[in-house]
Amino acid sequence: MTKPTVFVPHTIPDKALHRLHATCEVIYRDLRSEPTQTELADGLRGAKGMVCYGKISVRESLLEAAPQLEVVSNIAVGFDNFDLAAMQAHWVSGTNTPGVLTETTADLAFALLMAAARRIPEADAYVKSGQWQKWVPDLMVGSDVYGKTIGIVGMGRIGEAVARRALGFGMTIVYHNRRRQPNAELALGAVYRASLEELLGESDFVVLLTPLTKHTFHLIGEDELCRMKRNAWIINVARGAVLDESALMKALDGGWIAGAGLDVYEEEPLPANHPLLSRPNVVMLPHIGSATVATRENMALTAVDNIIAYFSGRRPPNLVNPDVWERRFGQSAERMKE
Ligand code: DGY
């Protein structure tokens, strides 16, 4: 049987690549740079699958250039790079990697919150640059974390994992989500706020964890930042565009909030002259929420397993648009394998 051709447009962990080679013909571009549109179109010629991450946008133009493409597997839990309507029209399935990065990303979210509140990067730079002369009571004073109120916007898997950490810090947990999450309420004592405004007004730390959709684009703008307490922090580990960065600049300039911890940005990588770069009260990371050796490997393996399942006639475990798969294979493919 001929193996299906799968295009991998950038470097992935070896273990995942080997697993993919066992069942697929792999066109591998072992590069860390972003592929150009031409490289993408070339690599996709004849490919039935693609395993990718980062900025690759699966939109109409790409799908038109890849008529044989059937499945795209993201090495990420987020899939805002998928144009689901276009994929539906071209009968292209999409998969992601939920679950495997939950705890790692929650660790990072909490680390970022702590780093911002306790000025860790600033203090580190201060010591290393030889400025530390004397212990004084107001040296690098920051905000307390324990016992404060954390407002989680987006109570999915990662939100719950952040809430578990917050519990250990004796924090009051409030959350806003499209749907109520009884598990977070019962197991973690998280209190639901139907109104985002209410959550913003009472939280000392607002942590953004919602996926980027047309509904959450600029969910936090000027009005929302204005409602936050003047000594509160905003932490974004979701997607850059959930937080309106120009509004954030205004809020920082106007002293509406204490500061921010950011792992994600409206434009990534950040342009060299970005105004946020000069802010001492903004801790900035290069989109490393899930960046541990083990988790990145597990994400790649999960993505590859999704593709392998697809081409062996099994329903991929992490379909983000199951309708497309159902339409192409119906229930019969499932039953044949049983
Ligand atoms: C994710 O998994 O969505 C991470 O943000 C990497 O893109």
Side-chain angles (χ1 to χ4, degrees):
M1 215 176 85
T2 31
K3 290 177 172 179
T5 301
V6 173
F7 178 43
V8 183
H10 27 212
T11 305
I12 61 168
D14 286 347
K15 215 166 160 181
L17 187 64
H18 289 147
R19 194 179 284 183
L20 192 61
H21 269 299
T23 51
C24 302
E25 202 58 61
V26 184
I27 304 171
Y28 185 42
R29 185 180 170 277
D30 185 12
L31 290 174
R32 304 173 76 84
S33 59
E34 215 56 67
T36 62
Q37 285 307 312
T38 320
E39 284 169 331
L40 270 181
D42 283 352
L44 281 170
R45 197 161 298 128
K48 288 186 154 194
M50 173 163 74
V51 177
C52 64
Y53 54 81
K55 290 213 270 192
I56 292 179
S57 220
V58 184
R59 315 236 174 266
E60 188 59 37
S61 53
L62 180 139
L63 296 168
E64 270 172 18
Q68 306 200 37
L69 191 64
E70 291 185 24
V71 56
V72 179
S73 179
N74 253 4
I75 306 183
V77 65
F79 52 92
D80 44 290
N81 59 321
F82 288 172
D83 178 339
L84 292 175
M87 288 169 76
Q88 166 114 16
H90 288 263
W91 290 48
V92 172
S93 291
T95 64
N96 68 343
T97 62
V100 288
L101 48 68
T102 301
E103 301 299 332
T104 300
T105 307
D107 279 352
L108 191 279
F110 220 84
L112 184 53
L113 181 158
M114 299 279 294
R118 296 300 305 271
R119 304 171 64 179
I120 306 284
E122 218 184 322
D124 176 73
Y126 180 79
V127 173
K128 289 180 180 165
S129 62
Q131 295 178 71
W132 187 24
Q133 304 288 337
K134 190 176 179 308
W135 187 95
V136 280
D138 63 352
L139 179 64
M140 291 288 156
V141 288
S143 310
D144 276 321
V145 172
Y146 77 93
K148 297 292 179 184
T149 297
I150 186 170
I152 298 177
V153 180
M155 188 59 104
R157 291 186 186 85
I158 301 174
E160 282 196 22
V162 168
R164 281 200 300 281
R165 284 152 181 79
L167 213 52
F169 280 77
M171 299 177 93
T172 299
I173 304 162
V174 293
Y175 79 98
H176 175 76
N177 200 54
R178 263 181 317 154
R179 271 177 256 114
R180 281 184 80 146
Q181 299 292 43
N183 185 47
E185 293 180 26
L186 288 170
L188 304 167
V191 179
Y192 177 64
R193 294 289 184 237
S195 140
L196 176 61
E197 287 69 28
E198 192 180 348
L199 174 145
L200 294 170
E202 68 190 315
S203 301
D204 299 295
F205 297 93
V206 173
V207 182
L208 304 179
L209 284 164
T210 180
L212 175 63
T213 65
K214 60 178 192 285
H215 306 292
T216 61
F217 177 81
H218 285 187
L219 180 70
I220 306 294
E222 274 186 46
D223 288 350
E224 290 70 27
L225 289 162
C226 245
R227 287 178 192 271
M228 287 176 61
K229 299 190 204 173
R230 290 181 86 82
N231 59 354
W233 294 83
I234 186 137
I235 310 296
N236 191 5
V237 277
R239 281 293 183 265
V242 173
L243 172 62
D244 177 348
E245 273 169 20
S246 327
L248 175 63
M249 285 303 300
K250 275 198 185 164
L252 294 167
D253 285 341
W256 306 349
I257 60 172
L262 308 174
D263 184 40
V264 288
Y265 309 89
E266 295 206 52
E267 184 182 344
E268 295 181 9
L270 269 188
N273 55 355
H274 197 287
L276 282 170
L277 290 168
S278 56
R279 300 281 163 166
N281 56 344
V282 181
V283 176
M284 304 174 82
L285 305 177
H287 200 147
I288 54 166
S290 57
T292 65
V293 177
T295 293
R296 285 286 160 85
E297 187 172 277
N298 283 335
M299 288 165 70
L301 287 170
T302 304
V304 160
D305 287 345
N306 280 321
I307 283 268
I308 293 173
Y310 183 95
F311 287 119
S312 45
R314 284 178 285 120
R315 184 191 172 100
N318 305 300
L319 283 170
V320 301
N321 54 354
D323 292 3
V324 173
W325 190 88
E326 298 286 353
R327 190 150 59 111
R328 198 186 271 276
F329 299 107
Q331 304 297 325
S332 55
E334 273 295 79
R335 272 191 242 115
M336 268 162 54
K337 290 276 149 194
E338 278 166 12

